[in-house]
Amino acid sequence: GMLAVQGATGLFASDDVITEGPLAALVSAKTVALLSSLHRLGFKALLGLILLHLGAIAFYRWVKKEDLVRPMLTGTKPMPPGTPGVVFVSPWRALVVAVVAAGLVFGGLRLAG
């Protein structure tokens, strides 16, 4: 989600010196300033999330003695015998989440335009 926010705000961001997003000319200077601020804040948030992710991997490796890197790279993880298989949520719950997510994206686009 943060990568999508970073990409979307970058399209309209400007540093007022050298670089400007390809869509910055389509919105007001006030909107460019707002999205540029959000873009800079998003960069810091992404760095924090990366550090949190790496910290969680280290915690699982050294404290819980569970390797998460190999399953992330291969997409498979050996499970102990007797472990239940994958259980999916109800399709209705998935539909509600998808509709809410689409509404948030649509609302964000309307605010940006």
Side-chain angles (χ1 to χ4, degrees):
M2 277 304 302
L3 288 175
V5 168
Q6 193 67 0
T9 56
L11 291 172
F12 299 94
S14 173
D15 67 359
D16 294 326
V17 180
I18 298 173
T19 59
E20 185 173 273
L23 303 178
L26 301 177
V27 295
S28 70
K30 186 177 179 181
T31 302
V32 169
L34 172 66
L35 293 175
S36 297
S37 294
L38 291 175
H39 190 68
R40 286 188 294 276
L41 183 64
F43 176 74
K44 293 175 186 172
L46 272 174
L47 286 179
L49 289 171
I50 290 167
L51 290 174
L52 179 66
H53 185 74
L54 293 174
I57 291 170
F59 174 80
Y60 267 79
R61 178 73 176 129
W62 290 308
V63 175
K64 297 187 97 177
K65 307 291 186 212
E66 188 175 340
D67 180 23
L68 295 180
V69 176
R70 185 177 316 259
M72 279 191 264
L73 294 175
T74 64
T76 60
K77 179 180 174 187
M79 300 300 288
T83 304
V86 176
V87 179
F88 293 99
V89 298
S90 113
W92 291 108
R93 184 190 292 179
L95 179 64
V96 168
V97 169
V99 168
V100 168
L104 290 172
V105 169
F106 180 72
L109 290 174
R110 290 194 45 109
L111 287 175

